[in-house]
Amino acid sequence: MLVVEDLYKSFGNIQAVEDVSFEVKKGEVFGLLGPNGAGKSTTISMISTLFPPTKGNIIFEGYNILDNPKKIRNKLGVVPQDIALYPTLSGYENLSFWGNVYGLKGAELKKRINEIADIVGLNGRIKDKVDKYSGGMKRRINIGAALLHKPDLLIMDEPTVGIDPQSRNHILDTVLELNKQGMTIIYTSHYMEEVEYLCSRVCIMDEGKIIASGTQHELVELINGKTQINIKTDKIDESLEECLKNISGVYAIKTMDDIISLYGENVDILLAEIIDKVTKYGRRIESIDVKKPNLESVFLHLTGKALRD
Ligand SMILES: Nc1ncnc2c1ncn2[C@@H]1O[C@H](COP(=O)(O)OP(=O)(O)OP(=O)(O)O)[C@@H](O)[C@H]1O
Ligand SMILES: [Mg+2]
C-alpha cells in the first residue's frame, strides 16, 4: 500500500531522518517505535504530505505522492502529535469544521459526526466545549477528526501521550477495531507495550535511522530470543554461580548486587532445575523473576540504552 524509499530530511545541519525505507501492507497496523528525537514525527509528516523530504520517494498505491501531494490527501487520515482543535468550540463543531474541509455537508456530515462520536466514545459529551474536555477526550476527538472522510490509511503520531489509562485503553481498542474493519494504520509511539499490543510489523528508529524492522517475533529473534531469569537468594558466592552456569540450557549468567541473572530457553524446565540446584546448595530463594524477551530488550541490545530515559 505504501512504500517509503531512502528517505532523508535535514533541518539546517540537523539530520532528522536518514536513509529510512519501509513498506506498509494493506490491512496491517504498522508500528514506528523509537525514543524522543528518533525522527518518527518527521518521517510521518513527510508521508502526510506536510513537507517534502530532502531526498527519497514515497509511493502510495503505486503513485509517487511527491508528484502531486494534494491528490492523495483525502485517502490519508492524520492524527498529529500536537492536538489541533478549537478549544472554544464544541466537539461537534470541531468535527463539523474538519468535515467541511473534507467536503462533507448537511445530513451526511451530521450522520458521520454521530458515527465518529460513537467510535471515539464521546457520545454523551460531543456538544460540550473542547476546553471542558480532559486530555484523553481531546485526544479522542483529535482522532475523530482524522476519521471523518473514511481514510484508507490512518497515520497516528503518539496518540496516547500524557493521558489517563482509561482513555489510553479506549484509544488502543479503537485502533484495533478500525483495523478490524479494514483500515490500514501507521502507529507511532515510544511505548513498547502499545506497539507490542497493536502492531503486526514494527520499525525501530533511533537517531534518524531504522535500526531494526520486522515482525515482533523476528525482532526478538535478533537477540536470539533468550528469556532472562533473575534469582535473589539469601547469599551469593562464586561457587553457586558456577553451579548454575553448568545447568544445561543456561546460555549466560551475570551477577549484579544480590541478584543472579541467567539467560536461556525452555524456561519451565530451567526453573525447576534452578530451584533444585539452589536448594540442594543450601541457599534460600527470596524471589524469582522471569522476563520474556520483548521489543524493549531488542532496543536495549541494539543501542545500549533504554527506550525511555
Ligand atoms: N522543524 C524542525 N526544525 C528543526 N529541527 C527539527 C524540526 N523538526 C524536528 N527536528 C529535529 O529532528 C529530530 C527528529 O525529530 P522528530 O520530531 O521527528 O522525532 P520524534 O521521533 O518524533 O520524537 P518525539 O518522540 O519526541 O516526538 C530531532 O532532533 C528534532 O529536534
Ligand atoms: Mg514525535
Side-chain angles (χ1 to χ4, degrees):
M1 182 179 223
L2 179 82
V3 180
V4 171
E5 279 175 355
D6 311 323
L7 219 54
Y8 285 78
K9 182 74 191 180
S10 45
F11 297 106
N13 53 9
I14 297 173
Q15 193 71 55
V17 169
E18 201 175 335
D19 197 18
V20 163
S21 301
F22 57 83
E23 186 180 346
V24 180
K25 295 178 182 151
K26 199 171 175 61
E28 73 176 339
V29 183
F30 180 87
L32 264 187
L33 177 69
N36 290 144
K40 307 180 297 295
S41 294
T42 306
T43 302
I44 62 172
S45 297
M46 292 187 280
I47 300 170
S48 311
T49 74
L50 286 181
F51 49 73
T54 309
K55 209 173 105 186
N57 282 311
I58 304 167
I59 319 285
F60 180 74
E61 290 182 332
Y63 182 82
N64 192 334
I65 70 169
L66 305 172
D67 290 344
N68 183 1
K70 281 195 190 125
K71 201 170 150 183
I72 56 118
R73 268 182 205 153
N74 65 350
K75 300 202 171 184
L76 307 178
V78 182
V79 184
Q81 186 165 3
D82 300 317
I83 289 174
L85 298 166
Y86 291 99
T88 56
L89 298 182
S90 69
Y92 190 97
E93 288 163 335
N94 268 280
L95 292 179
S96 192
F97 170 84
W98 286 109
N100 287 328
V101 171
Y102 288 114
L104 294 167
K105 292 193 286 285
E108 192 195 2
L109 175 62
K110 197 171 166 191
K111 179 165 170 271
R112 189 64 188 142
I113 292 177
N114 288 330
E115 282 169 9
I116 296 286
D118 218 23
I119 295 171
V120 298
L122 284 177
N123 249 332
R125 301 288 304 271
I126 198 73
K127 295 278 166 70
D128 292 359
K129 283 200 168 63
V130 163
D131 59 8
K132 298 281 182 296
Y133 282 4
S134 70
M137 291 162 75
K138 284 181 191 153
R139 286 257 168 226
R140 290 198 235 167
I141 203 84
N142 210 37
I143 294 170
L147 294 171
L148 280 160
H149 58 300
K150 301 187 179 163
D152 296 335
L153 176 65
L154 181 67
I155 303 171
M156 308 178 90
D157 197 356
E158 310 218 33
T160 61
V161 167
I163 62 175
D164 59 285
Q166 196 196 345
S167 277
R168 185 183 188 202
N169 290 338
H170 191 280
I171 289 175
L172 297 182
D173 290 340
T174 306
V175 172
L176 287 183
E177 185 54 36
L178 290 167
N179 179 247
K180 212 164 103 190
Q181 289 166 14
M183 200 175 281
T184 308
I185 295 160
I186 300 180
Y187 192 92
T188 297
S189 182
H190 64 267
Y191 294 122
M192 186 270 304
E193 310 87 321
E194 293 189 354
V195 170
E196 235 167 36
Y197 181 65
L198 297 173
C199 303
S200 44
R201 289 189 314 122
V202 184
C203 262
I204 304 183
M205 287 189 78
D206 187 38
E207 296 179 4
K209 300 192 191 80
I210 290 177
I211 55 167
S213 62
T215 61
Q216 295 191 34
H217 182 73
E218 284 164 353
L219 289 169
V220 166
E221 282 301 304
L222 280 179
I223 56 166
N224 295 321
K226 300 287 185 289
T227 298
Q228 184 180 353
I229 302 170
N230 302 315
I231 311 142
K232 191 170 181 219
T233 63
D234 54 346
K235 187 168 175 283
I236 290 171
D237 51 44
E238 272 179 27
S239 55
L240 174 62
E241 260 184 59
E242 200 56 36
C243 155
L244 292 175
K245 206 176 185 169
N246 289 332
I247 297 177
S248 120
V250 170
Y251 155 84
I253 187 164
K254 73 172 189 233
T255 304
M256 241 165 84
D257 302 327
D258 53 354
I259 294 174
I260 301 184
S261 299
L262 300 143
Y263 296 85
E265 290 164 82
N266 299 326
V267 179
D268 296 349
I269 299 169
L270 264 187
L271 274 176
E273 279 267 342
I274 290 165
I275 294 167
D276 186 56
K277 280 267 183 339
V278 175
T279 13
K280 280 202 179 127
Y281 201 81
R283 294 278 182 262
R284 192 163 39 84
I285 294 176
E286 292 181 351
S287 71
I288 296 188
D289 160 48
V290 176
K291 281 201 173 116
K292 290 228 181 286
N294 57 22
L295 294 178
E296 182 87 45
S297 4
V298 175
F299 190 82
L300 185 68
H301 181 86
L302 293 173
T303 66
K305 59 189 183 190
L307 257 171
R308 271 167 285 173
D309 298 324

